[in-house]
Amino acid sequence: MTETGRQPAVDRDATVLRLLRTGAMRLEGQLIDASNTTLRAVIEADGTAIRCVYKPVRGERPLWDFPDGTLAGREVAAHLVAQALGWPLVPPTVLRDGPIGPGACQLWIDEPDGSVPLVDFVAADQVPTDWLPVAAARDTDGKPYALAHADDPRLARLAVFDIVVNNADRKGGHVLAGPDNQVYGVDHGLCFHVDDKLRTVLWGWSGRPLPPEAGSALRQLRTAIDATLGGQLASLLTQAEITQLAGRVDGLIEAGCFPSPPATRSAIPWPPM
């Protein structure tokens, strides 16, 4: 504990990871809007209880472009990459057995009551001055709207992370504002493909320089891949996917700026929110 009585973030994460790995799991309910089986559960051990999201492998829907049974491992790999960057962007996530078999188990993030979305559809003439437009849209009555997001440094770091992991499904609903003033990204099963799959609602910084802290974080990640991280990822991803991960980090360091949306394929997931 610190002098103020608050547990350091690193210690808290270690405690949460230990609970996620070893605690007894009790299912509470199912998130019915999710594409794959997604359950909320309580993890308990030694008198401590936390909520989590449990995604069993057997509940994964087959996809044409991602190998069957690999999405849970990709969720864990995303958490490891965020840790290596030094950015707590992904809630603690582990691979463990559960009531429906092995799956990804991730700390549940409760958004504070009254929290303002960081990504949203807004009337085209009412985009806040501190927001960045991404795409034009119209409602059922033909009224013009804009898909836009906050020009927030926490969100910019998440956009950098998505480029690195090649996130094919960054919807607005996958961006959470935690009670600790931290922005979290969730739902990373569709990441790390060897082909360019980046689909995101966070295109507002296209062509702009990366955040000042991104360079050192990316170099730290690149060093980790060649050291211990590569070995940790080997049980979760293919060697080709790890090689491509390293290549994307190298490319982003060299470019020093956010990429622009591709013109030859869809750049925004559907639905965006």
Side-chain angles (χ1 to χ4, degrees):
M1 303 290 284
T2 65
E3 293 180 0
T4 60
R6 297 184 62 185
Q7 192 177 13
V10 174
D11 291 347
R12 288 199 304 272
D13 283 353
T15 300
V16 170
L17 287 168
R18 185 170 61 254
L19 280 168
L20 291 176
R21 290 191 184 103
T22 63
M25 184 184 297
R26 172 172 53 84
L27 299 182
E28 282 192 321
Q30 182 171 358
L31 280 65
I32 59 174
D33 292 334
S35 300
N36 301 293
T37 300
T38 303
L39 305 162
R40 192 170 84 163
V42 173
I43 298 279
E44 296 179 271
D46 301 325
T48 301
I50 58 174
R51 279 197 169 89
C52 70
V53 175
Y54 166 51
K55 298 182 179 181
V57 172
R58 71 171 63 177
E60 294 178 6
R61 178 171 55 89
L63 300 169
W64 70 269
D65 52 351
F66 283 83
D68 292 350
T70 68
L71 305 191
R74 295 171 193 277
E75 296 265 13
V76 178
H79 173 248
L80 292 174
V81 169
Q83 280 189 312
L85 277 165
W87 296 341
L89 295 169
V90 179
T93 312
V94 303
L95 199 61
R96 62 161 289 172
D97 201 8
I100 312 179
C105 185
Q106 182 175 88
L107 178 68
W108 177 274
I109 300 298
D110 275 315
E111 292 191 280
D113 292 339
S115 59
V116 178
L118 295 171
V119 183
D120 209 351
F121 282 102
V122 295
D125 59 352
Q126 295 179 21
V127 178
T129 56
D130 56 347
W131 277 45
L132 302 171
V134 173
R138 290 183 181 273
D139 66 10
T140 54
D141 297 323
K143 182 179 178 180
Y145 274 75
L147 174 64
H149 62 72
D151 187 4
D152 187 309
R154 299 170 301 171
L155 212 56
R157 288 191 287 271
L158 186 60
V160 172
F161 167 80
D162 284 341
I163 298 165
V164 167
V165 300
N166 197 18
N167 192 348
D169 196 34
R170 175 60 74 208
K171 294 181 172 72
H174 298 168
V175 179
L176 306 179
D180 50 2
N181 200 37
Q182 171 64 44
V183 169
Y184 293 97
V186 298
D187 211 345
H188 298 108
L190 301 186
C191 291
F192 299 104
H193 202 284
V194 294
D195 297 331
D196 178 21
K197 295 276 187 179
L198 183 61
R199 288 191 293 269
T200 176
V201 294
L202 302 179
W203 287 111
W205 295 281
S206 296
R208 298 190 185 188
L210 298 178
E213 68 274 20
S216 59
L218 290 168
R219 288 189 292 272
Q220 176 177 294
L221 170 59
R222 187 63 182 85
T223 299
I225 293 172
D226 287 339
T228 57
L229 180 60
Q232 291 176 301
L233 295 176
S235 63
L236 305 168
L237 306 173
T238 67
Q239 186 54 53
E241 289 168 338
I242 297 170
T243 299
Q244 287 295 99
L245 168 65
R248 286 191 297 272
V249 176
D250 289 339
L252 198 52
I253 291 172
E254 182 178 356
C257 63
F258 288 96
S260 297
T264 57
R265 62 168 179 81
S266 172
I268 298 174
W270 186 260
M273 301 299 292

